[in-house]
Amino acid sequence: MFLMCAHLGIITGLTVFVIILYDFDRKRRLDQCYNYKVQKKRAEIKLKETDEFRYRLMAFPISNKIKYIKKFVIREIQKGEEYMVQNNYTKAVEHFANGLSMIDRDHKLINNLSKNVTQEMCIEIKNQVQKIQTMLAKIKMLKS
C-alpha cells in the first residue's frame, strides 16, 4: 500500500512539473518576437561561421600552381604538428584541415592521419575539410 502511494505521489509530482514547464514554454512560444529572435540568432551564428572560414581562406594560395600548393600544404601540416605538441588541438585541427583540403579529395590521407590522432579530432578534421572544400568550390565558381 505504501509503495503504491509513493508511486502515485511521484507520478502526481511529475505531472505538475510537466504542466508548469509546458505552460512556461507556451508563453515563450506565443511571444510575437520569439520567431524573430530565433531567426536573428541563427543568422548571427551562420554569419560568424562564414566569416571565420573566409578569414581562414585568405591564407590559401591564390595560384593553382603545384609548387605554391605544395608549400602551403607542407606549412599547414607542420603548423598542425606544432600545435599538437603544444596540446592546442583546436588549432591543430584547423591547420590539418587547411592543408588536407587542398589535396585530399577522397579522405585517404585523413584516414591515415586517424591512426595518429584521436577519433574526435579525425571527425572534426573531416567536417572542416568538407566545409573548406565547398567554400573553395564556391569561390572558384565566383571567379569564373
Side-chain angles (χ1 to χ4, degrees), residues 23-75:
D23 187 48
F24 175 73
D25 190 50
R26 183 175 53 87
K27 288 177 184 175
R28 179 182 56 90
R29 283 183 282 123
L30 291 177
D31 183 16
Q32 293 177 351
C33 298
Y34 174 71
N35 287 333
Y36 173 74
K37 290 176 185 176
V38 169
Q39 289 173 355
K40 184 178 177 182
K41 193 172 201 176
R42 288 178 183 164
E44 287 175 2
I45 291 171
K46 189 174 182 180
L47 183 65
K48 183 180 175 186
E49 288 176 355
T50 55
D51 285 345
E52 175 186 323
F53 276 106
R54 283 185 189 149
Y55 179 74
R56 281 175 61 182
L57 290 176
M58 289 172 53
F60 281 73
I62 297 170
S63 176
N64 285 336
K65 292 185 179 179
I66 297 295
K67 84 174 186 181
Y68 296 121
I69 292 174
K70 282 182 183 179
K71 284 182 183 179
F72 174 76
V73 170
I74 291 170
R75 184 178 23 151

Side-chain angles (χ1 to χ4, degrees), residues 7-25:
H7 286 299
L8 187 60
I10 291 172
I11 291 172
T12 305
L14 284 174
T15 304
V16 169
F17 179 71
V18 167
I19 289 171
I20 292 170
L21 190 64
Y22 177 76
D23 187 48
F24 175 73
D25 190 50

Side-chain angles (χ1 to χ4, degrees), residues 1 6 9 11 18 66-67 72-73 95 102 106 109 111 113 117 121 123 136:
M1 183 71 172
I11 291 172
V18 167
I66 297 295
K67 84 174 186 181
F72 174 76
V73 170
H95 287 288
M102 294 295 291
D106 50 358
L109 294 174
N111 293 334
L113 184 65
V117 298
M121 275 185 73
I123 292 169
L136 287 173

